[in-house]
């Protein structure tokens, strides 16, 4: 009986090991960084919403998001940013390659792929150097609708957003939509 369990355990390891080895170490590292970034961001957001409501919390996305991204960049050596097909801040507008990937993400979602599982990676040459690029779709959660939804956005939030972002396109999202993507890059 005991040997049966041992054999099963060994079998399980031999099945899972090659699958894990299949994940490119750069992809694994990028995913880890995104997890850290997103967890930190959502934590700050929830805290700010609780403390002073959505108008107060706008500053988290406005000031803290780029700061957290810069801190992570400094610590890890990776370029970290966010982009979207419908950006709020003009500085987050997608580059041509990012736009193409975001459009592919929408097509994958339309074909039934869960947003959480949608990502992209490649290696390109930039200024004679090899660069690893990674993008991961960001799902729209319920809390996001306070500032990225339609009717959920309160008039005072709307007012503040219009003051800060006159060309805001990041509205009208529904839960489960792709809000945008994380973009990570590293020189190899
Ligand atoms: C309190 C308001 C608020 C909430 C809630 C909020 N955001 Fe934002 N979001 C903003 C603001 C403001 C910006 C612009 C940030 C900047 O200036 O870089 C932004 C920008 C973004 C961007 C960068 C692309 C762009 O449109 O400029 C992404 C991606 C994003 N938000 C995703 C989310 C997700 C996902 C959630 C829910 C987990 C969320 N946001 C919740 C206010 C909010």
């Amino acid at each position: 009986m005991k040997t049966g369990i041992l054999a099963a355990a060994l079998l399980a390891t031999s099945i899972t090991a090659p699958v894990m080895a299949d994940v490119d170490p750069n992809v694994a590292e990028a995913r880890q960084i995104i997890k850290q970034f997103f967890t930190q961001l959502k934590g700050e957001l929830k805290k700010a919403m609780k403390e002073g409501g959505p108008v107060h919390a706008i500053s988290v996305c406005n000031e803290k998001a780029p700061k957290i991204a810069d801190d992570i960049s400094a610590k890890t050596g990776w370029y970290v940013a966010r982009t979207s097909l419908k950006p709020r801040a003009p500085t987050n507008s997608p580059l041509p390659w990012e736009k193409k990937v975001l459009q592919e993400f929408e097509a994958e979602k339309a074909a039934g792929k869960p947003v959480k599982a949608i990502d992209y990676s490649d290696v390109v040459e930039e200024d004679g150097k090899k660069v690893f690029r990674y993008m991961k779709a960001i799902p729209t959660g319920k809390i996001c609708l306070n500032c990225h939804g339609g009717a959920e956005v309160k008039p005072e939030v709307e007012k503040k957003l219009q003051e800060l972002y006159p060309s805001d396109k990041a509205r009208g999202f529904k839960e489960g939509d792709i809000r945008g993507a994380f973009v990570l890059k590293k020189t190899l």
Side-chain angles (χ1 to χ4, degrees), residues 87-157:
R88 169 152 290 161
T91 45
N92 294 330
S93 297
L95 294 168
W97 78 271
E98 294 170 342
K99 191 171 174 185
K100 229 178 103 207
V101 173
L102 285 165
Q103 284 164 344
E104 278 168 25
F105 283 3
E106 290 294 345
E108 285 182 55
K109 179 178 178 282
K113 195 164 177 182
V115 174
K116 276 192 170 172
I118 299 178
D119 67 354
Y120 171 90
S121 68
D122 67 10
V123 175
V124 291
E125 209 159 292
E126 280 180 14
D127 304 321
K129 284 185 195 130
K130 274 200 170 168
V131 176
F132 173 80
R133 308 190 298 192
Y134 182 77
M135 281 177 71
K136 190 168 198 326
I138 307 173
T140 308
K142 204 165 180 193
I143 192 174
C144 321
L145 302 181
N146 284 293
C147 299
H148 296 296
E152 301 91 343
V153 179
K154 291 187 180 141
E156 62 268 29
V157 175

Side-chain angles (χ1 to χ4, degrees), residues 38 42 45 49 53-59 61-63 65-66 82-84 86-93 138-141 143-148 157 161 164-165 168 170 179-181:
F38 205 32
K42 271 200 293 199
L45 199 58
M49 293 278 287
V55 175
H56 168 69
I58 287 174
S59 65
C61 267
N62 181 358
E63 295 154 22
R82 296 185 302 168
T83 189
S84 172
K86 289 165 73 182
R88 169 152 290 161
T91 45
N92 294 330
S93 297
I138 307 173
T140 308
I143 192 174
C144 321
L145 302 181
N146 284 293
C147 299
H148 296 296
V157 175
L161 288 173
L164 292 168
Y165 306 96
D168 185 9
R179 175 56 271 272

